[in-house]
């Protein structure tokens, strides 16, 4: 009797699972759908990604992010088109600060197509995040995929934040300010990360000399108006 009690629920569970799989398969064969996958380098496999222009040089005004439109169902022997649109209720970004294709064509025999979303730098994102909710909308070929993956959320800014390791960097660059740190990032190659663990004493001192010389050049070019930080304090790499 105990054995029967175990077997019967197991059989029922297996039947329900098989039925669910069959229904899911039928759904995606009956109605072709598309989901979106952002580049995992930025999204870490989630439906959203956050990017800051502060990691790039001051002259870099755009960043391109790759996104895949992926078929949920069988591939086709003809090319098909998916439509994309902005979810206005969930977006805050100015339309001038991003670009993406309104349609993406998935080639015949392929299960996905890659397209590019361009994020742009602007003055306003120095203080607030820009948010773009990009979603799949119905086309003659596809319906949107499941809610969890029929969109990608982009959040980007140009905000300076105090590095968590600044206490160890203060020996080389003095006290922290947003203005000073932005100036530092503008005078090094894109992607430079200051670290007492990864950089030698001589490397950090060399950067201090570079920043001091750049600051002297700035002040010389602005007589009577030397660089001050957000608190009105003169920027100085010794204090």
């Amino acid at each position: 009797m105990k054995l029967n009690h175990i077997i019967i629920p197991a059989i029922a569970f297996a039947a329900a699972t098989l039925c669910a799989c069959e229904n899911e398969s039928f759904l995606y064969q009956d109605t072709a759908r598309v989901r979106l996958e952002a580049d995992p380098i930025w999204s870490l496999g989630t439906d959203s990604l956050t990017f800051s222009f502060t990691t790039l040089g001051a002259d870099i005004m755009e960043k391109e992010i790759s996104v895949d439109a992926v078929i949920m169902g069988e591939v086709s022997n003809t090319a098909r088109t998916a439509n994309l649109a902005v979810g206005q209720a969930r977006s805050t970004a100015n339309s001038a600060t991003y670009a993406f294709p309104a349609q993406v064509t998935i080639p015949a025999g392929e299960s996905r197509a890659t397209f590019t979303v361009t994020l742009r730098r602007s003055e306003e994102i120095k203080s607030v995040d820009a948010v773009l909710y990009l979603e799949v909308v119905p086309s003659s070929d596809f319906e949107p995929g499941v809610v969890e993956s029929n969109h990608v959320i982009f959040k980007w800014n140009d905000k300076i934040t105090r590095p968590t390791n600044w206490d160890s960097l203060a020996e080389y660059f003095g006290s922290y300010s947003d203005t000073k740190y932005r100036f530092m990032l503008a005078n090094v190659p894109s992607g430079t990360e200051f670290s007492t663990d990864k950089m030698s004493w001589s490397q950090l001192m060399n950067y201090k000399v570079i920043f001091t010389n750049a600051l002297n050049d700035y002040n010389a070019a602005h007589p009577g108006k030397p660089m001050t930080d957000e608190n009105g304090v003169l920027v100085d790499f010794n204090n």
Side-chain angles (χ1 to χ4, degrees), residues 203-222:
Q203 285 177 306
L204 289 165
M205 288 302 295
N206 183 57
Y207 275 122
K208 179 175 182 175
V209 172
I210 291 173
F211 299 145
T212 299
N213 290 339
L215 180 62
N216 290 338
D217 290 343
Y218 174 91
N219 290 340
H222 300 79

Side-chain angles (χ1 to χ4, degrees), residues 54-65:
T54 59
T55 61
L56 303 179
D59 60 327
I60 305 299
M61 301 304 294
E62 294 185 347
K63 178 64 180 178
E64 294 185 344
I65 305 291

